[in-house]
Amino acid sequence: MTLQGWGFIALFVAILAAAAKPMGLWLFALYEGRRTPLHRILGPVERGIYRIGGIDPNAEQGWRAYALHLILFNLALAVLTYAVLRLQAVLPWNPRGLAGMGADGAFNTAISFATNTNWQGYAGESTVSNLSQALGLALHNFTSAATGIAIAFALFRGFARKESRGIGNFWADFTRVTLYLLLPICLVYALFLVASGVPQTLASSIDATTLEGVRQTIVLGPVASQEAIKMLGTNGGGFFNANSAHPFENPTALTNLAEMLSIFLVGVGLTWTFGKAVGDTRQGWAILAAMAVLFLGGIAVTYAAEAAGNPALDALHVAGGNLEGKETRFGVVGSALFAVVTTAASCGAVNAMHDSFTALGGLIPLFNIQLGEIVVGGVGAGIYGFLLFAILSVFVAGLMVGRTPEYVGKKIEAREVKLAVLAVAVLPLCILGGAALASVLPAGLAGIANNGPHGFSEILYAFTSATGNNGSAFAGLSANTPFYNAMLGIAMWLGRFFVIVPVLAIAGSLAAKKQVAGGVGAFPTTGVLWVGLLVGIILILGGLTFLPSLALGPIADHVTLLRGQLF
């Protein structure tokens, strides 16, 4: 570790802290449905969308209607993407003549992008046409991100409203977020990437002659536009197989910093928006403080492990930290920080190979996902996931002080606690259940590249990433098979929508309640004690998934490496 490395991490944190309130203010305007400076330009577009769709943006929806419209919309888009991928060979904008994707691969990819997972078991540049990239994949990058933010808005209304049957209108929330947040930022962001050297062209490829005189075909396409929403929307699917380690996706140290910042930008803004929505911005700052504690702990362990390097190589007096699988343009600190950021959020973009991290360095990305990716988290998904833990934390606090739990003016009763437990339990059930099946079935074992503990880690990471809607991988696993495409596709769907439905049910239940004034004996939810309790509950409940897998997975890797045995 170096002082320069820690200075880089401090700069990253400082920029995000400064951006939280400005981004939160913009999001709050969209949450309330107020006019923004962009309405003068995009207002007619918004009204045209409502007119064509027959939508009344002022019509309130209960939680059931909100959830039904949301799920059916995303399901319809998944079917569209499946069709595009299957028919790719006969569709236009495919000058390289790429074949249509197989049924299991198309199923997995359609579910992956519909759920904001963006898991890819294939090399994008050699498998997916430019039309499929733009219409099938980049489209989902916008819609899945807007869906997550819309759910967060609905939950905020549940806490903020009094005796209300409605939690907003899905179509209005979705449209406003897309038009006034995601599209404008991505337009500017894509232009910045183009200026930095990222391609944005309708051309499919270009031929070049190498220094050895060999002809090489370099794949091109609309990369910058997809890269922008890939990061801002915490999607993660790369245009190229090397993802953000590829110079056409991430060409400079400045773009590397910008990409990491954009992954967290909306997530930190939503914490302030929540505080503003419930009438106490200290609530939002408390949530952000708890997120910061978890994030800084994670980066401290990962950076220390990667900077120290592989203990087996240290015995050979090889210095310089663990550079295996890392892009030398970014070094150890740039790769370690990126790995923690992308798994603390539900992004999954990578600029280094997580499979090549040290055992402890790779353990933190795995743990981040198993916590539910709530350490800032995905756009919308991070804050509503964090609020599930807040509900469980005030329940525990209520048991300790002997009072009915309250949070931001709402009594937390049995219904909300049961729904929160149901949503939180999805991760350990799907991760451990799927990994167990894959570890004993021949079709699952056939995909691992390493025997023993590390092979198990590859399987465990795959189901963790899929269920957590992350999309990154311990890429030693050959997952583009019918077994893994089907199993991981199911895990992605359950991990997304079996959490969303309980969250919306909680929103509906809270919205119908009266607002209560906090009494003298109420547990405070803005101070250091609250932040500590919240972090503790998250770590304990995260252990439901982490501890059962720890004995057989990453810790076994670490013990083996300490004995000087390399895989």
Side-chain angles (χ1 to χ4, degrees):
M1 293 188 292
T2 65
L3 184 61
Q4 182 182 17
W6 281 111
F8 179 68
I9 293 170
L11 173 65
F12 174 81
V13 173
I15 294 173
L16 280 174
K21 184 174 180 178
M23 176 55 66
L25 281 168
W26 190 268
L27 285 161
F28 185 68
L30 300 181
Y31 162 80
E32 288 196 315
R34 290 189 282 108
R35 288 182 61 84
T36 69
L38 291 176
H39 273 72
R40 181 173 298 180
I41 302 170
L42 297 175
V45 179
E46 180 187 5
R47 292 189 292 273
I49 291 172
Y50 295 150
R51 192 177 302 113
I52 293 171
I55 298 165
D56 178 3
N58 298 314
E60 286 286 323
Q61 294 176 325
W63 77 263
R64 291 179 180 83
Y66 202 102
L68 180 63
H69 287 218
L70 181 154
I71 292 172
L72 290 178
F73 173 67
N74 283 276
L75 180 61
L77 287 179
V79 172
L80 170 65
T81 300
Y82 177 84
V84 169
L85 294 171
R86 293 285 282 149
L87 299 172
Q88 177 176 266
V90 297
L91 291 174
W93 209 4
N94 183 17
R96 286 177 288 139
L98 297 175
M101 196 176 285
D104 59 297
F107 166 79
N108 181 277
T109 304
I111 296 298
S112 176
F113 280 79
T115 57
N116 200 249
T117 309
N118 304 79
W119 170 278
Q120 292 174 294
Y122 55 86
E125 64 266 41
S126 61
T127 309
V128 185
S129 71
N130 285 347
L131 177 68
S132 297
Q133 291 274 18
L135 179 60
L137 306 187
L139 173 65
H140 276 295
N141 287 351
F142 282 95
T143 58
S144 63
T147 295
I149 298 172
I151 298 162
F153 284 178
L155 184 57
F156 293 176
R157 294 187 186 104
F159 281 106
R161 290 184 173 179
K162 307 171 187 177
E163 299 179 275
S164 172
R165 291 181 175 271
I167 57 171
N169 184 296
F170 168 70
W171 301 110
D173 289 338
F174 175 88
T175 303
R176 289 168 185 154
V177 166
T178 304
L179 281 180
Y180 302 114
L181 178 75
L182 300 179
L183 280 172
I185 294 179
C186 285
L187 177 61
V188 177
Y189 193 178
L191 291 175
F192 161 73
L193 292 174
V194 170
S196 301
V198 177
Q200 180 68 20
T201 175
L202 298 181
S204 181
S205 62
I206 189 172
D207 290 332
T209 303
T210 67
L211 293 175
E212 293 82 7
V214 178
R215 182 180 177 183
Q216 180 181 0
T217 299
I218 301 173
V219 176
L220 301 172
V223 183
S225 57
Q226 184 161 329
E227 189 72 16
I229 187 59
K230 157 189 164 181
M231 295 302 184
L232 183 68
T234 61
N235 293 283
F239 195 98
F240 298 97
N241 190 42
N243 208 278
S244 288
H246 198 292
F248 281 0
E249 289 198 30
N250 191 7
T252 69
L254 181 59
T255 60
N256 193 57
L257 175 61
E259 290 185 5
M260 290 188 291
L261 289 169
S262 61
I263 291 172
F264 272 2
L265 182 62
V266 175
V268 298
L270 281 168
T271 62
W272 194 91
T273 304
F274 170 71
K276 184 69 173 177
V278 298
D280 184 359
T281 55
R282 294 177 302 166
Q283 300 290 346
W285 290 122
I287 289 175
L288 187 58
M291 290 178 174
V293 170
L294 293 167
F295 171 74
L296 292 172
I299 186 56
V301 174
T302 303
Y303 182 33
E306 296 307 299
N310 188 313
L313 294 179
D314 283 347
L316 301 175
H317 305 291
V318 178
N322 178 33
L323 290 173
E324 180 192 343
K326 292 183 174 59
E327 173 54 61
T328 54
R329 291 175 298 145
F330 310 130
V332 170
V333 65
S335 299
L337 181 58
F338 202 111
V340 175
V341 168
T342 198
T343 52
S346 64
C347 186
V350 295
N351 73 352
M353 184 62 67
H354 292 183
D355 192 45
S356 295
F357 275 42
T358 62
L360 292 180
L363 179 133
I364 295 301
L366 179 67
F367 186 49
N368 281 340
I369 306 173
Q370 291 181 348
L371 287 178
E373 295 169 311
I374 55 169
V375 185
V376 178
V379 286
I383 186 68
Y384 68 66
F386 211 95
L387 289 172
L388 291 175
F389 284 98
I391 288 171
L392 296 176
S393 296
V394 295
F395 171 69
V396 172
L399 293 177
M400 291 191 293
V401 300
R403 286 175 54 95
T404 300
E406 300 171 8
Y407 187 53
V408 293
K410 290 295 177 76
K411 287 189 178 294
I412 304 300
E413 297 174 302
R415 176 176 171 81
E416 291 79 37
V417 174
K418 290 176 182 177
L419 287 168
V421 169
L422 178 63
V424 170
V426 170
L427 258 72
L429 290 174
C430 289
I431 291 171
L432 298 177
L437 284 175
S439 298
V440 297
L441 295 177
L445 294 172
I448 59 175
N450 300 281
N451 294 321
H454 198 73
F456 176 79
S457 294
E458 292 170 356
I459 294 174
L460 177 66
Y461 196 104
F463 281 94
T464 299
S465 181
T467 306
N469 301 138
N470 184 269
S472 63
F474 267 20
L477 184 72
S478 299
N480 192 14
T481 64
F483 173 81
Y484 278 111
N485 280 333
M487 289 289 291
L488 295 176
I490 293 170
M492 293 172 202
W493 191 265
L494 295 177
R496 177 74 163 177
F497 294 105
F498 275 50
V499 174
I500 285 175
V501 172
V503 166
L504 291 176
I506 290 172
S509 177
L510 292 174
K513 294 185 177 187
K514 297 179 179 179
Q515 203 84 16
V516 295
V520 176
F523 189 88
T525 56
T526 56
V528 175
L529 182 62
W530 165 245
V531 172
L533 176 65
L534 193 52
V535 170
I537 294 296
I538 290 169
L539 292 175
I540 291 170
L541 292 179
L544 293 174
T545 308
F546 183 67
L547 291 177
S549 61
L550 187 64
L552 295 177
I555 202 67
D557 277 1
H558 189 58
V559 170
T560 307
L561 286 170
L562 288 175
R563 291 174 180 170
Q565 300 173 15
L566 293 174
F567 288 97

